[in-house]
């Protein structure tokens, strides 16, 4: 037997908008009963609200803010039950290439080079974890160093090399910063490769990183077309993520039976009007599009 909850909604017509009493002649208080019944099962699990530090320098200035202002901003972003209280932080895996507003450095400028202290994303992830140990961390490449494609600007010709590069970033995050990455993306708003996704999944599993989920493909919903006809690809992907979906999903994405995320989205203005718009988008992403993050 499902749980049934009765919600009483009240509508006061003709009343004043302030704290004072209703105007003379105001309409009577109307009530309505809404029945919520989970007998047919529960909806999709809410996976959180997040923010992106990526696209080349979108948060570059924050690390250089003076105290106490820098810590106050970080508190407003990441402290639970305080300010934005973000559940997820996605960062760019720097690739030495211009990725929108600037360039973020790679952890591997060339094949035999490894340095896990370049850039500021490590610092930002640690500051987020310091304030909320439960926050989920995502890494996503916007660009790749040219050696990945052996001279070509295409990371999928040698999927083993690309997977090695990404897995090295994940291992470096843990070894040098004690950061556990929860999800990894493919290539921001660019083409995806089913073969590469499978190779990446195999590389993660071989190293015991089965807990790290793959998000695909951080663009449109097209990856879902291949997922529903390729069970190996479907098994490799944990989350189908789309950018700016307009609160709507597609039937193929639903058929994958995977988590559906609006993995990059935006509101309007940086004021109270934009905040209301943002809240509406978050609600409609779930109600209209079955998206949970």
């Amino acid at each position: 037997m499902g749980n049934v909850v009765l919600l009483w909604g009240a509508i006061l017509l003709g009343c004043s908008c302030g704290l004072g009493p209703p105007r003379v002649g105001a309409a009577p208080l109307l009530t309505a009963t809404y029945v919520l019944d989970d007998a047919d099962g529960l909806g999709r699990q809410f996976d959180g609200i997040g923010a992106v530090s990526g696209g080349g320098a979108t948060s570059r200035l924050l690390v250089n803010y003076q105290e106490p202002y820098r810590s106050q901003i970080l508190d407003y972003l990441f402290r639970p039950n305080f300010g934005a209280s973000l559940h997820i932080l996605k960062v760019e895996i720097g690739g030495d290439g211009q990725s929108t507003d600037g360039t973020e450095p790679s952890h591997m400028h060339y094949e035999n080079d490894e340095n896990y202290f370049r850039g500021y994303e490590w610092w930002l992830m640690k500051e987020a974890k310091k304030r909320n140990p439960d926050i989920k961390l995502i890494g996503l490449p916007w660009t790749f160093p040219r050696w990945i494609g052996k001279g070509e600007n295409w990371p999928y010709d040698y999927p083993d090399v690309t997977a090695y590069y990404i897995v090295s970033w994940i291992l470096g995050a843990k070894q040098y910063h004690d950061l556990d990455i929860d999800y990894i993306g493919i290539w921001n708003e660019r083409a995806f490769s089913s073969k590469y996704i499978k190779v990446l999944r195999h590389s993660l599993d071989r190293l015991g990183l089965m807990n790290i989920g793959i998000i695909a493909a951080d663009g449109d919903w097209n990856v879902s077309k291949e997922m529903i006809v390729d069970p190996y690809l479907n098994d490799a992907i944990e989350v189908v993520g789309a950018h700016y979906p307009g609160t709507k999903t597609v039937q193929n994405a639903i058929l994958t039976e995977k988590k559906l995320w609006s993995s990059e989205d935006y509101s309007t203005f940086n004021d109270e009007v934009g905040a209301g718009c943002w809240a509406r988008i978050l609600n409609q992403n779930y109600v209209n599009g079955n998206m949970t993050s």
Side-chain angles (χ1 to χ4, degrees):
M1 169 103 35
N3 295 320
V4 177
V5 180
L6 301 181
L7 299 181
W8 293 92
I11 304 172
L12 188 60
L13 301 178
C15 67
S16 66
C17 295
L19 298 177
R23 298 190 306 271
V24 175
L29 183 68
L30 304 179
T31 61
T33 303
Y34 302 90
V35 179
L36 302 181
D37 188 350
D38 64 2
D40 293 330
L42 299 176
R44 290 173 176 257
Q45 175 179 302
F46 175 66
D47 293 314
I49 299 169
V52 179
S53 174
T58 52
S59 60
R60 172 63 187 88
L61 300 180
L62 178 58
V63 67
N64 296 120
Y65 275 34
Q66 293 183 356
E67 295 291 357
Y69 312 112
R70 185 176 72 175
S71 291
Q72 290 171 353
I73 293 170
L74 292 166
D75 287 345
Y76 276 119
L77 288 170
F78 301 119
R79 274 183 55 189
N81 304 311
F82 184 84
S85 303
L86 297 173
H87 309 99
I88 302 168
L89 173 62
K90 178 197 290 186
V91 303
E92 177 175 351
I93 300 176
D96 293 338
Q98 210 283 351
S99 55
T100 302
D101 295 328
T103 299
E104 297 199 32
S106 170
H107 59 289
M108 298 177 73
H109 291 319
Y110 47 89
E111 189 170 1
N112 296 319
D113 166 63
E114 290 187 65
N115 185 321
Y116 298 95
F117 295 93
R118 295 177 183 135
Y120 50 90
E121 304 292 8
W122 311 109
W123 167 83
L124 185 59
M125 287 189 284
K126 287 189 287 188
E127 291 295 323
K129 278 287 187 180
K130 183 190 303 182
R131 289 162 173 79
N132 179 7
D134 296 325
I135 196 168
K136 300 297 183 183
L137 299 178
I138 302 173
L140 174 65
W142 266 248
T143 66
F144 294 88
R146 195 170 181 82
W147 67 267
I148 295 290
K150 299 189 177 181
E152 299 297 328
N153 186 27
W154 194 249
Y156 299 142
D157 286 340
Y158 306 94
D160 291 307
V161 175
T162 307
Y164 166 74
Y165 171 80
I166 294 297
V167 171
S168 295
W169 184 86
I170 295 171
L171 296 176
K174 180 62 176 178
Q175 179 178 349
Y176 295 100
H177 302 283
D178 197 27
L179 292 168
D180 293 303
I181 304 301
D182 298 286
Y183 298 95
I184 202 75
I186 305 304
W187 191 9
N188 184 69
E189 296 181 351
R190 299 293 294 273
F192 68 90
S193 163
S194 297
K195 180 179 180 180
Y196 167 67
I197 293 173
K198 296 173 191 176
V199 169
L200 178 60
R201 180 72 270 164
H202 175 73
S203 300
L204 292 168
D205 293 347
R206 184 167 52 84
L207 292 172
L209 301 173
M210 288 81 72
N211 59 304
I212 297 179
I214 292 177
I215 304 174
D218 282 299
D220 54 29
W221 297 107
N222 284 340
V223 69
S224 62
K225 296 179 183 178
E226 295 196 23
M227 291 172 67
I228 60 176
V229 297
D230 185 341
Y232 296 102
L233 179 64
N234 198 63
D235 288 344
I237 296 171
E238 183 172 331
V239 177
V240 182
H243 288 191
Y244 312 107
T247 78
K248 300 293 180 62
T249 187
V250 297
Q251 186 62 26
N252 285 336
I254 296 173
L255 291 175
T256 65
E257 299 183 350
K258 297 290 183 175
K259 294 180 179 181
L260 307 181
W261 286 8
S262 173
S263 51
E264 185 175 316
D265 218 322
Y266 75 113
S267 178
T268 53
F269 303 105
N270 185 25
D271 56 19
E272 66 276 9
V273 175
C277 178
W278 182 232
R280 183 175 69 250
I281 289 171
L282 294 174
N283 285 331
Q284 291 182 347
N285 279 345
Y286 183 87
V287 175
N288 296 340
N290 296 287
M291 289 171 276
T292 60
S293 174

